[in-house]
Structures are given as structure tokens and as C-alpha cells.
Amino acid sequence: MHKKIGLILCFILAITALSGCMSHGEKDTVKDDDLLTDKEERITPASSLLPYLPRETVNETQSPAIATEKVLQSQTPDNRIIADQSFDATLTPLGDVRFVSYQPLKVKSKFEDVTFQIERNGQAVLVLPGVEENNIRESESFQSVEAVSFPDYNNDGYSDIITICKYINLSDNKSETSYTEARIYSGSKKGTFSLEKTLMKKINDTMVKKTIQDILSVIKSKQEEPENKETPWKQAYLNYLKSETTEVYEGYNLIYVNNDDIPELVEVGESEAIGCKVLTYYNGQVNATQLSRLYFSYIPKQNLLCNSDGNMGVYYDVVYSIKNGKLTQIAEGIYGDEDNAKPQFDENGNEIFVYKWNGNSVTKEDYEQSLNAIYNTKKAIVGGVASFTLEELKAKLK
């Protein structure tokens, strides 16, 4: 009897030990994912997505969730490819690659923009910069890619990229306005591309209907514009001199009446009767002002010129200022004999003159005071000086 009871106790202890071993083994094999509740987020490691996009898009210092989100946003599934605007191309210095246009994800915003990507063997080489840093436009909804081209528009030996995209402007809720936008990417020897926003703005501000050829024509015309901002006035003066009868002039001079960097051109006559002529340049036009006789002075960079001379007993000081590109009279003084045939003299033998300032009779002292109030004669220098011959002036202008 005691023997049977002992056997039964041993059997019970054996079963209990076996059960404990099985429970311990199952606990060791539970997966971490099985411990997540419904409210907990399962995060895919960012490193597992690295083969799908350039290495620099993953920042190892970011949290796994942020890194993963950026990677997922950068993924480009086949159903987003704009097939008719994706091309195999040979780009210098990248070589044989594929340019791929991708529809916006439009996950974060309806204003997410198109993405342009350079790929090789199905893997991303680089993503071209967007117009906005986060690739989300302010109020423009992307519609389509109209054209893509790979010229070397700046002739630096590296391939560039030009695209034309269509958008709808939704800034006005009452109406929708469609328009096209050109993007200009300049390539570099490192194989990277920079968005030329200044050039892009000039193109988009001046062109409504856009084609690749028209864009290249505009870029070429801007490249051919002289870098020296002085060139337009130089050419304008040269053109004027071609049609001018120059035989009557003793010589020429360049003076600076107003405070800009474009000089005024002086034609100095060979006689008092011919006098001096002052040419001013403004907005592509040359304006000529004929002065009386030869003598005049000016105050450099103060926008003041005074034609001071006389004839037959009558003398004058006519003050000019350049306004809207033209030499404009702002004051006039006249003095002389009332009767040139019978001059009058004071007790010291000086001829007696009658003075008028802006048409009003004044004393000699008032005349001089009025003139110097508007034109400081002490600061003036002589302007009617023949400093160049015609050929010397042309050489200087060229």
C-alpha cells in the first residue's frame, strides 16, 4: 500500500516538472511584435529602406520614426512615374542615366509638387531641388509636365536640365487660373544640379507661352547682352555721331553733370556762332541741347550747368539741370546796356548795366546773390573744352 502511494506521488511530481519546463520554453520564444498592443506603433527600421533612395536622405541622428517617414515620402513606386516625361539620357558628367518625373504624393498637402529624379539601374542617383524647400507650393496645384530637355545652355561643358510644368493657381477661390512654369537647372562638374531661380524668374516673368526652343532663345539673348552696363550709352553716342555733321566742331569732351555714372557728351563748336552742344543719354535715347556761344561751366555731380556768355552788349547766365534725361532751364539772368548804341558809365568809368533775374529787375548785388543761391560759381569748372578729336572719342567709347 505504501509502495503504491509512493509511485503515485512520483508520477505527480514528474508531470509538474514537465509542465514547468514547457512553460519556460514558450516564454523564451515569444516575438517582440507579439507584445505590442493595438495602440502601439510598429516602426520599420529606416536602414531597411536605404536601397531605395540616395544615402544623404537618411539622417542617422533622427529618430527612427522621422527617418522612416522621410524615406517613405521619398520612395517612388512605378504607378507615380510620368512615363511620357521620363527619359534615358547621357548627361555630362554623370554618363548614362534615366531622368524620371514622378507625380506628387499629395499625402501632406494638395499642393505637393512634382519630383524629378536621376536614376541609374533603377536606383536613385539624386533628386533635383524643388521650387520650394519642402516641395509644397503655396497655392499652385501641379497638373502635368509639358516638356523636358537636356541642353548645355550656358556652354560650360556640363549638361543642364530645362522643364516646363503646368499648374493651376488656387489662391483665388472664385476662379482657377492655369499657367506654365519653366525650371532651369544648371549642371556642374560634380554631377549636381542647381535651380537657377533668378534666371527662372526672368523667363517666367517675360514669357507666357513657353517652349524649350523659345526658352533657349531668350537665355541666349540674355547671355549676349553686354555685361558692362555702360555699353548702351556708349553705343547710343556712337550712333548719334554717325549722323552728325562733325566738320563744324573743334573737338569733344565727356563731363559728369548729374550724379549717375553716365557722362554727358559735349560737342565744342569751331566758332562762337556754332557754340557748344550738350548730349545727354536717358532710357536708350540721346537728347541734344544747343547752348548759346562757347562758354559754359558746370558743377560736377551736382546736376547744375550754367551757360554764361554774351554778345552785342547783352550778357546772360542761364542755369540748367538734367530732368528726365534732358537739359532743362531752371533759372535765367540777363544784364547789359539798355541802349547798346549809347552806353552809360558811372563815375569810375564802369559801364552801367541793367540787371534782370527770371524777368524781374534787380540790382547788381541782388543778381549775383540770386545766381549764387542756385549755382555756386566758386565750385564751377569750365565745360566747353575740346579734350578729344572725333577719332579719339570714338576709340574711347568703344
Side-chain angles (χ1 to χ4, degrees):
M1 182 68 178
H2 291 290
K3 186 175 181 179
K4 288 182 179 181
I5 291 173
L7 288 172
I8 291 172
L9 289 174
C10 289
F11 181 73
I12 291 173
L13 289 173
I15 291 175
T16 301
L18 180 60
S19 175
C21 291
M22 290 178 65
S23 298
H24 179 73
E26 288 177 355
K27 184 176 181 181
D28 286 346
T29 59
V30 173
K31 297 180 180 179
D32 291 341
D33 287 352
D34 294 335
L35 298 178
L36 294 173
T37 66
D38 292 338
K39 295 183 180 179
E40 291 178 301
E41 181 182 5
R42 300 170 186 262
I43 299 175
T44 303
S47 57
S48 67
L49 298 174
L50 284 176
Y52 294 97
L53 77 166
R55 186 176 301 171
E56 59 267 21
T57 61
V58 178
N59 186 342
E60 297 297 337
T61 64
Q62 295 173 342
S63 68
I66 295 175
T68 302
E69 180 182 6
K70 287 195 172 185
V71 172
L72 290 173
Q73 289 289 330
S74 301
Q75 288 190 82
T76 50
D78 291 343
N79 61 2
R80 286 178 50 223
I81 294 177
I82 305 173
D84 61 343
Q85 296 298 337
S86 299
F87 307 95
D88 291 327
T90 301
L91 304 181
T92 305
L94 292 175
D96 294 334
V97 294
R98 184 164 179 79
F99 176 90
V100 187
S101 303
Y102 288 104
Q103 293 281 359
L105 284 168
K106 294 192 176 182
V107 173
K108 293 183 176 180
S109 170
K110 65 179 179 180
F111 296 126
E112 287 188 47
D113 207 354
V114 63
T115 300
F116 297 122
Q117 190 161 293
I118 306 296
E119 300 178 357
R120 182 183 288 115
N121 299 324
Q123 300 295 314
V125 175
L126 58 87
V127 179
L128 298 187
V131 175
E132 302 296 337
E133 187 175 353
N134 57 6
N135 212 37
I136 297 177
R137 306 299 288 265
E138 291 186 2
S139 57
E140 300 86 12
S141 176
F142 169 79
Q143 298 300 300
S144 61
V145 179
E146 302 289 296
V148 176
S149 181
F150 312 103
D152 179 11
Y153 75 83
N154 51 13
N155 300 313
D156 63 356
Y158 306 111
S159 298
D160 307 310
I161 301 173
I162 299 177
T163 68
I164 302 174
C165 296
K166 183 178 180 181
Y167 294 86
I168 291 180
N169 192 329
L170 300 178
S171 58
D172 185 353
N173 294 326
K174 297 180 181 179
S175 63
E176 296 182 358
T177 304
S178 64
Y179 69 96
T180 56
E181 176 186 81
R183 294 193 197 181
I184 316 293
Y185 293 98
S186 62
S188 71
K189 64 180 180 180
K190 294 181 179 180
T192 58
F193 292 88
S194 301
L195 184 62
E196 299 296 332
K197 290 190 174 182
T198 301
L199 179 58
M200 175 178 157
K201 185 177 187 304
K202 290 181 180 179
I203 294 294
N204 291 315
D205 286 350
T206 57
M207 299 179 66
V208 177
K209 294 183 179 180
K210 304 176 185 70
T211 66
I212 295 296
Q213 190 57 48
D214 289 341
I215 292 171
L216 288 172
S217 297
V218 172
I219 293 175
K220 183 179 179 180
S221 67
K222 290 185 179 298
Q223 289 173 337
E224 292 175 349
E225 289 179 356
E227 293 182 3
N228 190 340
K229 294 181 180 180
E230 294 180 336
T231 300
W233 65 260
K234 289 182 178 180
Q235 189 60 51
Y237 283 154
L238 286 170
N239 292 340
Y240 181 91
L241 293 172
K242 288 179 182 177
S243 59
E244 185 75 352
T245 303
T246 57
E247 292 82 2
V248 297
Y249 295 107
E250 179 185 348
Y252 303 84
N253 197 8
L254 294 173
I255 63 175
Y256 290 88
V257 178
N258 57 7
N259 62 355
D260 64 18
D261 295 326
I262 300 176
E264 286 65 54
L265 192 157
V266 179
E267 295 180 316
V268 182
E270 63 179 9
S271 67
E272 289 285 353
I274 295 172
C276 287
K277 185 183 291 185
V278 179
L279 308 180
T280 56
Y281 173 85
Y282 181 73
N283 279 352
Q285 300 294 323
V286 174
N287 300 300
T289 301
Q290 180 66 53
L291 302 181
S292 297
R293 305 182 75 79
L294 288 175
Y295 186 83
F296 77 89
S297 62
Y298 70 101
I299 304 176
K301 295 286 186 176
Q302 297 299 308
N303 200 15
L304 290 169
L305 180 149
C306 187
N307 185 191
S308 303
D309 216 314
N311 186 36
M312 300 295 291
V314 178
Y315 306 90
Y316 48 83
D317 294 289
V318 183
V319 183
Y320 292 89
S321 182
I322 298 176
K323 296 182 179 181
N324 296 323
K326 294 183 179 181
L327 208 57
T328 305
Q329 180 178 316
I330 60 173
E332 180 185 51
I334 300 175
Y335 60 98
D337 295 323
E338 283 188 307
D339 186 353
N340 188 47
K342 298 180 180 180
Q344 301 294 317
F345 299 91
D346 62 17
E347 56 189 19
N348 297 319
N350 297 319
E351 193 171 1
I352 298 174
F353 292 144
V354 174
Y355 292 85
K356 289 186 178 181
W357 184 257
N358 288 334
N360 300 315
S361 296
V362 294
T363 65
K364 178 182 179 180
E365 292 74 16
D366 289 340
Y367 182 97
E368 293 176 348
Q369 184 177 356
S370 297
L371 174 60
N372 280 281
I374 192 172
Y375 186 82
N376 190 337
T377 54
K378 294 181 179 179
K379 294 183 178 180
I381 62 175
V382 177
V385 178
S387 300
F388 309 105
T389 65
L390 178 59
E391 294 306 317
E392 288 172 342
L393 176 63
K394 287 182 177 179
K396 186 173 183 64
L397 293 175
K398 291 178 180 179

